[in-house]
Amino acid sequence: MEIDGLEHYLKASEIAKKIMKYGRELVRKETSYLKIAQSIEEETKKLGAKPAFPVNISVNGNAAHDSPELNDARQVKPTDLVKVDFGAMIEGFCIDTAFSYSPNSEHAKLIEAAEMALQNALSVVKAGVSTKAIGKEIETTIKQYGYLPVENLCGHSLEEYNLHAGIEIPNVERGGHILKEGEVFAIEPFASTGAGRVNDGDYCQIWSLNPQSNMNVRLPKSRELLATIAEDYMTMPFAARWIKNQSMLFLSLRDLEKQGALESYPVLKEAKKDAFVSQAETTLIVEENGAKILV
Ligand code: MN
Ligand code: MN
């Protein structure tokens, strides 16, 4: 069957596999959040893709959407559990993938729970299967390890220039979309020692243009920034540190958000204090009798 952008997906897939290997080696020696994120983003470009979104370096109870700022001084500590989430995009077709790492073997079982949940989920993917059955695999696997899946974080369908294209793959037994051949999905189980729920934090470094916005912005400074964003990133997420002109940047970003021109993606934190969260993620194309796994 004809799959929209297949050639681009396959090229992005080759690149994402290389970045995955590069990233897994990198976190073993580099501890600066900023250097890890920037090095992976640079490597992505060097290999011929674009970062589909800013590299997320989310540590311990921060489950997702933490991306370093310019001059970020944070370092991974020996007791930390790190999630590295990155994307490779070719002509708008994106691979979304993540891995977890800790220098401390104490987190090994939690990391394995997310990885095994992903493997078990992949083993049931094929055309005709319900997203509910996939969520059930994830939930059952993570609970067997003695943890909770994060129920308000989901996998998702992907389309051209659209990372979250509307269909969810839940991490619990829920939902009812029937997978169709040729659909592209990211599956991303999160295993938690906490409540199994995340809330928005205050820290926010990731934004994207709201495609529904009418771009009618009054302040010249904000208008100028919005034009730059539309030109450079279209509707894809970007990091504040990617913007060249940093003068009064956050005032303009907040202004644009208030007017509905931008969406913000604040860090997502486990509801329970001092919890640890692990993540595994891959992107796949649904096939008649299985899945083409792209990372
Ligand atoms: Mn994802
Ligand atoms: Mn991801």
Side-chain angles (χ1 to χ4, degrees):
M1 81 167 283
E2 187 98 355
I3 292 156
D4 195 24
L6 180 61
E7 220 179 290
H8 300 312
Y9 276 122
L10 295 180
K11 192 174 168 202
S13 164
E14 286 316 304
I15 292 170
K17 285 176 191 167
K18 286 181 188 158
I19 307 166
M20 179 58 88
K21 187 166 179 287
Y22 173 87
R24 282 186 184 275
E25 282 165 19
L26 181 68
V27 294
R28 278 165 170 74
K29 45 185 198 269
E30 179 57 65
T31 56
S32 152
Y33 289 24
L34 184 62
K35 277 195 186 146
I36 295 169
Q38 285 180 329
S39 302
I40 292 174
E41 287 163 5
E42 281 313 309
E43 186 70 10
T44 307
K45 291 178 203 163
K46 218 192 303 173
L47 291 167
K50 282 183 180 172
F53 51 86
V55 172
N56 291 199
I57 311 287
S58 307
V59 172
N60 299 342
N62 288 349
H65 293 176
D66 193 335
S67 196
E69 54 197 305
L70 281 182
N71 308 317
D72 202 309
R74 291 176 296 170
Q75 305 272 336
V76 177
K77 293 187 286 292
T79 48
D80 284 345
L81 193 176
V82 191
K83 281 82 62 190
V84 178
D85 194 328
F86 63 91
M89 175 169 78
I90 304 267
E91 302 289 337
F93 296 93
C94 304
I95 308 265
D96 180 3
T97 184
F99 66 92
S100 297
Y101 168 74
S102 177
N104 184 345
S105 61
E106 225 172 86
H107 299 302
K109 199 177 110 182
L110 184 61
I111 292 173
E112 189 183 304
E115 286 173 351
M116 198 52 80
L118 178 58
Q119 289 314 312
N120 289 343
L122 292 174
S123 72
V124 299
V125 171
K126 62 177 182 177
V129 165
S130 165
T131 51
K132 190 175 185 173
I134 301 170
K136 185 184 175 182
E137 281 298 323
I138 293 170
E139 179 173 4
T140 307
T141 306
I142 291 174
K143 285 183 172 170
Q144 274 167 357
Y145 276 88
Y147 306 116
L148 287 177
V150 177
E151 49 116 359
N152 59 342
L153 288 175
C154 295
H156 46 93
S157 53
L158 293 118
E159 290 173 5
E160 192 176 0
Y161 290 111
N162 194 351
L163 278 171
H164 291 99
I167 304 169
E168 287 187 345
I169 308 245
N171 287 324
V172 292
E173 188 176 359
R174 182 178 77 202
H177 173 80
I178 304 297
L179 301 187
K180 285 171 211 66
E181 201 181 338
E183 284 178 335
V184 180
F185 286 101
I187 300 184
E188 50 183 314
F190 289 82
S192 175
T193 63
R197 265 182 304 109
V198 291
N199 298 320
D200 285 357
D202 295 326
Y203 186 78
C204 182
Q205 295 294 325
I206 306 175
W207 312 74
S208 73
L209 190 73
N210 177 1
Q212 264 88 53
S213 138
N214 59 13
M215 306 278 283
N216 203 344
V217 171
R218 193 176 54 82
L219 291 176
K221 185 101 192 159
S222 300
R223 201 159 54 223
E224 194 184 307
L225 176 61
L226 190 61
T228 305
I229 291 165
E231 165 88 20
D232 292 349
Y233 310 115
M234 300 200 285
T235 55
M236 303 307 288
F238 61 90
R241 69 185 148 81
W242 288 1
I243 305 290
K244 275 194 198 78
N245 184 358
Q246 291 278 318
S247 126
M248 305 209 307
L249 176 62
F250 277 83
L251 280 177
S252 302
L253 288 169
R254 292 296 180 194
D255 178 47
L256 289 169
E257 182 188 1
K258 214 169 72 191
Q259 299 190 56
L262 291 184
E263 310 251 10
S264 65
Y265 303 89
V267 62
L268 298 169
K269 304 174 94 78
E270 231 298 336
K272 192 175 164 207
K273 204 173 165 284
D274 299 327
F276 289 94
V277 178
S278 65
Q279 176 199 17
E281 180 176 23
T282 195
T283 298
L284 60 90
I285 303 174
V286 178
E287 295 182 326
E288 191 187 351
N289 291 308
K292 178 159 188 62
I293 294 158
L294 298 173
V295 198

PDB file of all heavy atoms in Angstrom, residues 53 85-86 96-98 188 279 281, ligand 2:
ATOM      1  N   PHE A  53      11.982  18.391  17.191  1.00  0.00           N
ATOM      2  CA  PHE A  53      11.640  19.209  18.366  1.00  0.00           C
ATOM      3  C   PHE A  53      12.915  19.310  19.192  1.00  0.00           C
ATOM      4  O   PHE A  53      13.863  18.555  18.959  1.00  0.00           O
ATOM      5  CB  PHE A  53      10.494  18.562  19.169  1.00  0.00           C
ATOM      6  CG  PHE A  53      10.713  17.110  19.507  1.00  0.00           C
ATOM      7  CD1 PHE A  53      11.422  16.726  20.640  1.00  0.00           C
ATOM      8  CD2 PHE A  53      10.228  16.095  18.667  1.00  0.00           C
ATOM      9  CE1 PHE A  53      11.632  15.385  20.944  1.00  0.00           C
ATOM     10  CE2 PHE A  53      10.439  14.745  18.961  1.00  0.00           C
ATOM     11  CZ  PHE A  53      11.145  14.399  20.097  1.00  0.00           C
ATOM     12  N   ASP A  85      14.818  12.385  25.005  1.00  0.00           N
ATOM     13  CA  ASP A  85      13.759  12.234  24.005  1.00  0.00           C
ATOM     14  C   ASP A  85      14.104  13.147  22.830  1.00  0.00           C
ATOM     15  O   ASP A  85      14.339  14.340  23.022  1.00  0.00           O
ATOM     16  CB  ASP A  85      12.419  12.643  24.647  1.00  0.00           C
ATOM     17  CG  ASP A  85      11.209  12.217  23.833  1.00  0.00           C
ATOM     18  OD1 ASP A  85      11.318  12.178  22.591  1.00  0.00           O
ATOM     19  OD2 ASP A  85      10.153  11.957  24.436  1.00  0.00           O
ATOM     20  N   PHE A  86      14.175  12.578  21.626  1.00  0.00           N
ATOM     21  CA  PHE A  86      14.596  13.391  20.470  1.00  0.00           C
ATOM     22  C   PHE A  86      13.825  12.985  19.216  1.00  0.00           C
ATOM     23  O   PHE A  86      13.217  11.911  19.161  1.00  0.00           O
ATOM     24  CB  PHE A  86      16.109  13.268  20.230  1.00  0.00           C
ATOM     25  CG  PHE A  86      16.563  11.878  19.887  1.00  0.00           C
ATOM     26  CD1 PHE A  86      16.630  11.459  18.559  1.00  0.00           C
ATOM     27  CD2 PHE A  86      16.921  10.978  20.876  1.00  0.00           C
ATOM     28  CE1 PHE A  86      17.049  10.174  18.230  1.00  0.00           C
ATOM     29  CE2 PHE A  86      17.336   9.692  20.565  1.00  0.00           C
ATOM     30  CZ  PHE A  86      17.392   9.285  19.239  1.00  0.00           C
ATOM     31  N   ASP A  96      10.024   9.985  16.319  1.00  0.00           N
ATOM     32  CA  ASP A  96      10.023  10.451  17.702  1.00  0.00           C
ATOM     33  C   ASP A  96      10.462   9.260  18.550  1.00  0.00           C
ATOM     34  O   ASP A  96       9.847   8.192  18.485  1.00  0.00           O
ATOM     35  CB  ASP A  96       8.595  10.908  18.038  1.00  0.00           C
ATOM     36  CG  ASP A  96       8.427  11.424  19.449  1.00  0.00           C
ATOM     37  OD1 ASP A  96       9.419  11.508  20.195  1.00  0.00           O
ATOM     38  OD2 ASP A  96       7.265  11.748  19.796  1.00  0.00           O
ATOM     39  N   THR A  97      11.550   9.432  19.307  1.00  0.00           N
ATOM     40  CA  THR A  97      12.086   8.278  20.037  1.00  0.00           C
ATOM     41  C   THR A  97      12.777   8.742  21.319  1.00  0.00           C
ATOM     42  O   THR A  97      13.166   9.909  21.432  1.00  0.00           O
ATOM     43  CB  THR A  97      13.046   7.465  19.134  1.00  0.00           C
ATOM     44  OG1 THR A  97      13.494   6.302  19.822  1.00  0.00           O
ATOM     45  CG2 THR A  97      14.256   8.282  18.725  1.00  0.00           C
ATOM     46  N   ALA A  98      12.891   7.840  22.287  1.00  0.00           N
ATOM     47  CA  ALA A  98      13.483   8.210  23.574  1.00  0.00           C
ATOM     48  C   ALA A  98      14.101   6.997  24.245  1.00  0.00           C
ATOM     49  O   ALA A  98      13.735   5.861  23.946  1.00  0.00           O
ATOM     50  CB  ALA A  98      12.411   8.795  24.492  1.00  0.00           C
ATOM     51  N   GLU A 188       4.989   5.242  23.629  1.00  0.00           N
ATOM     52  CA  GLU A 188       5.929   5.701  24.645  1.00  0.00           C
ATOM     53  C   GLU A 188       5.466   5.430  26.066  1.00  0.00           C
ATOM     54  O   GLU A 188       4.899   6.298  26.712  1.00  0.00           O
ATOM     55  CB  GLU A 188       6.278   7.177  24.457  1.00  0.00           C
ATOM     56  CG  GLU A 188       5.116   8.143  24.294  1.00  0.00           C
ATOM     57  CD  GLU A 188       5.625   9.573  24.042  1.00  0.00           C
ATOM     58  OE1 GLU A 188       6.523  10.019  24.747  1.00  0.00           O
ATOM     59  OE2 GLU A 188       5.116  10.218  23.107  1.00  0.00           O
ATOM     60  N   GLN A 279      11.210   6.117  30.769  1.00  0.00           N
ATOM     61  CA  GLN A 279      10.472   6.200  29.491  1.00  0.00           C
ATOM     62  C   GLN A 279      11.218   5.386  28.433  1.00  0.00           C
ATOM     63  O   GLN A 279      12.448   5.329  28.426  1.00  0.00           O
ATOM     64  CB  GLN A 279      10.395   7.665  29.034  1.00  0.00           C
ATOM     65  CG  GLN A 279       9.728   7.866  27.664  1.00  0.00           C
ATOM     66  CD  GLN A 279      10.074   9.222  27.044  1.00  0.00           C
ATOM     67  OE1 GLN A 279      11.028   9.874  27.444  1.00  0.00           O
ATOM     68  NE2 GLN A 279       9.313   9.633  26.046  1.00  0.00           N
ATOM     69  N   GLU A 281      10.606   4.882  24.019  1.00  0.00           N
ATOM     70  CA  GLU A 281       9.737   5.320  22.915  1.00  0.00           C
ATOM     71  C   GLU A 281      10.324   4.937  21.568  1.00  0.00           C
ATOM     72  O   GLU A 281      11.528   5.031  21.344  1.00  0.00           O
ATOM     73  CB  GLU A 281       9.546   6.848  22.955  1.00  0.00           C
ATOM     74  CG  GLU A 281       8.637   7.365  21.827  1.00  0.00           C
ATOM     75  CD  GLU A 281       8.368   8.869  21.904  1.00  0.00           C
ATOM     76  OE1 GLU A 281       9.173   9.587  22.519  1.00  0.00           O
ATOM     77  OE2 GLU A 281       7.359   9.298  21.316  1.00  0.00           O
TER      78      GLU A 281
HETATM   79 MN    MN B   2       9.268  11.665  22.266  1.00  0.00          MN
END
